[in-house]
Amino acid sequence: MQRRHFLRALGATAAGLAAMRAAFGEDSVTNYIAPVPADTGAAGNVIVIGGGMAGASAAKYLRVWGGQRVKVTMIERAPSYVSNIMSNLVLNGSRTISGLTYKWDKLVANYGVARIQADVIAIDATGRTVTLALPGGGEKLLPYDRLVIAPGIAFDTIPGLGTAALQAQFPHAWQAGASTTTLRDQIRAMPSGGTFVMTIPKAPYRCPPGPYERACVVADWLKRNRPGSKVIVLDENPGIVAEKESFTRAFEQTHAGVIEYRPSEILVSVDPVSKAVITTNSLMNTTQAWKGNVLNPIPRQRAPKLLADAGMLNDGAADPKWVKVDAKSYEHLDTLRFPNVHVIGDPAMHGMPKAGHVATMEARVCADAITRYLRGDRPMDNPVANSACYSPITFETASWLTAMYQYDSASRQMKAFEYATGMFASGEAGVADKDNFDQMNKWFVQLMADTFA
């Protein structure tokens, strides 16, 4: 299969969709509605917390594969979902937040997913219930047979930005929405010769290529519209952690003279009065203030408070932030304390990146495992998954990254797929071009259609 067709196929991995694409073309896949079978032998009540890429995919495929006797209730506090994928393109005006906004109406109408708009405030794993805070006031207790937790991510507070007002003034825009348009407007207000300062948190964090592509998108817009301006990238990591070849080329060649990349710069604080980011270089042990017309500090990230309050954080760190799961089913590793609890998406540690496309892969494996449990079976022994993403480098060019993963029974995590020859089934474009940009848009359409339609 040609590379471009392979990457587009990664947007929807169900074998039936791939077969339809091959036989009937792209439109048949985008418009196809998978039937919900009457009875697959599975029966039970599944609650899904969260309606993002992971939660929506899990809810849909639990019905498609589980059938009508598997009741699926998706709980999501927000009235709609804004895609973080492609949201960096809002900054250069080529996309809008409204164009990246999705609802769950088709999951309800086409697949019978029950949706409740509420906030989950407590999880009782022993009693197998969740407690909801209802929008109109009051609480409600819901029982479950299996629980899927996909609540997205939480952000650490950056010293110096301790209030909501200051955080709005210096938006990280790492949760797509109003803050993304605020950052866009701040960039547009920059003078020629101005400086845009952004920080990158220590890995792991959501979408490893994301900050580097943001630097490129902003640099490209500034070159075209605010000549003489500069983008300073302060990375807490010792080097580029994703698409290293592509972004090294982008920083040193495509955007040479505009992007200044500084690795090993640990974010200490932000001075909102002088509009400066203060960092300490972890190699040289020096401290420096980086002033800019626009500051875009991206904070470190962790699992939401709901999981911490439930005692689920178990990543082994002195300050635990994540939930380690068995990637065979995405169940919590401590099945005695948290029986029948599955965690997918950003909070989960499973050996793969924290990215939107990967979240849909986790959701499918999890939904398949739960379906098997609910019919008295056991999960597959060796699930596989893939990761695919495109990264815009300029207004009309993009690069790509792809990888295959397989289950490792010793670590209970996913590991990069390795051929008998010792080569890994992964790669990156290395060079950005318009063909990749066009394929990126088609991949995105298919991915979102498979998730929300």
Side-chain angles (χ1 to χ4, degrees):
M1 192 184 298
Q2 292 184 6
R3 173 185 56 80
R4 72 178 67 177
H5 295 149
F6 172 70
L7 286 171
R8 285 165 66 179
L10 293 181
T13 58
L17 296 185
M20 286 188 64
R21 174 184 289 107
F24 305 112
E26 295 296 331
D27 290 342
S28 67
V29 178
T30 301
N31 298 324
Y32 176 66
I33 299 175
V36 177
D39 189 355
T40 67
N45 176 28
V46 183
I47 289 178
V48 178
I49 300 175
M53 301 298 291
S57 294
K60 172 181 175 177
Y61 281 98
L62 278 163
R63 289 286 290 173
V64 171
W65 294 336
Q68 294 180 9
R69 295 176 63 212
V70 175
K71 179 183 177 182
V72 179
T73 303
M74 187 180 74
I75 305 168
E76 167 59 55
R77 68 166 68 93
S80 58
Y81 172 74
V82 181
S83 172
N84 294 299
I85 306 173
M86 307 290 263
S87 63
N88 280 329
L89 292 179
V90 173
L91 303 180
N92 69 5
S94 62
R95 286 190 177 261
T96 63
I97 288 298
S98 61
L100 296 174
T101 300
Y102 296 82
K103 292 183 177 292
W104 302 276
D105 298 350
K106 292 184 179 179
L107 297 188
V108 175
N110 295 342
Y111 306 104
V113 173
R115 178 176 172 255
I116 299 176
Q117 185 174 351
D119 198 6
V120 179
I121 57 175
I123 298 171
D124 180 357
T126 302
R128 298 187 186 180
T129 61
V130 298
T131 304
L132 311 185
L134 301 177
E139 297 180 358
K140 184 176 182 179
L141 208 64
L142 290 182
Y144 64 81
D145 296 310
R146 290 272 168 178
L147 176 65
V148 180
I149 306 175
I153 215 158
F155 300 92
D156 288 352
T157 299
I158 297 174
L161 302 180
T163 67
L166 286 171
Q167 291 162 20
Q169 184 181 348
F170 300 96
H172 57 71
W174 216 240
Q175 181 70 50
S179 64
T180 313
T181 55
T182 297
L183 184 60
R184 177 203 63 193
D185 294 343
Q186 291 179 350
I187 294 169
R188 290 181 178 180
M190 283 178 60
S192 295
T195 301
F196 177 91
V197 181
M198 64 177 292
T199 69
I200 300 176
K202 190 175 292 293
Y205 56 85
R206 173 189 282 164
C207 189
Y212 307 111
E213 77 173 41
R214 175 174 290 182
C216 291
V217 167
V218 173
D220 185 58
W221 189 90
L222 292 174
K223 279 195 298 187
R224 297 167 186 261
N225 299 279
R226 301 293 185 270
S229 297
K230 179 183 291 187
V231 173
I232 298 177
V233 181
L234 306 173
D235 193 346
E236 291 195 337
N237 300 284
I240 297 170
V241 299
E243 292 186 65
K244 186 170 184 177
E245 180 182 351
S246 299
F247 286 115
T248 297
R249 185 186 301 271
F251 291 178
E252 296 180 355
Q253 297 181 25
T254 308
H255 300 302
V258 180
I259 293 180
E260 180 181 336
Y261 176 69
R262 298 280 186 149
S264 303
E265 293 289 345
I266 308 301
L267 176 61
V268 175
S269 63
V270 170
D271 184 340
V273 177
S274 64
K275 296 187 73 173
V277 173
I278 293 86
T279 64
T280 295
N281 188 283
S282 59
L283 298 179
M284 297 181 289
N285 199 29
T286 56
T287 300
Q288 184 169 343
W290 309 82
K291 293 187 176 182
N293 301 89
V294 174
L295 305 185
N296 178 217
I298 302 173
R300 295 185 180 185
Q301 296 150 36
R302 62 174 64 231
K305 184 174 181 292
L306 175 68
L307 284 86
D309 289 347
M312 292 187 186
L313 306 189
N314 62 341
D315 59 16
D319 175 22
K321 295 185 175 184
W322 311 109
V323 181
K324 290 190 74 173
V325 296
D326 185 340
K328 181 187 293 187
S329 61
Y330 291 90
E331 290 178 89
H332 194 286
L333 288 179
D334 190 345
T335 55
L336 291 178
R337 292 180 59 214
F338 305 105
N340 297 11
V341 172
H342 306 251
V343 182
I344 58 176
D346 292 330
M349 291 289 283
H350 40 62
M352 297 185 292
K354 299 181 182 299
H357 181 267
V358 172
T360 67
M361 298 294 100
E362 300 165 47
R364 287 161 174 76
V365 173
C366 179
D368 178 73
I370 290 175
T371 298
R372 291 167 185 260
Y373 278 135
L374 293 179
R375 64 170 185 251
D377 201 351
R378 51 176 291 172
M380 292 185 296
D381 288 330
N382 297 294
V384 296
N386 58 56
S387 169
C389 70
Y390 287 84
S391 299
I393 302 299
T394 69
F395 196 84
E396 64 280 309
T397 66
S399 61
W400 54 263
L401 174 70
T402 183
M404 297 291 295
Y405 296 88
Q406 61 185 353
Y407 182 71
D408 176 66
S409 58
S411 65
R412 301 165 77 180
Q413 301 277 286
M414 301 297 282
K415 288 192 174 182
F417 184 84
E418 187 176 0
Y419 294 110
T421 59
M423 294 182 63
F424 288 97
S426 61
E428 61 173 291
V431 177
D433 59 28
K434 188 176 185 305
D435 179 61
N436 290 334
F437 194 88
D438 293 341
Q439 297 305 320
M440 173 182 71
N441 289 321
K442 295 173 183 177
W443 164 82
F444 178 69
V445 168
Q446 184 55 61
L447 177 62
M448 303 312 281
D450 187 49
T451 303
F452 293 97

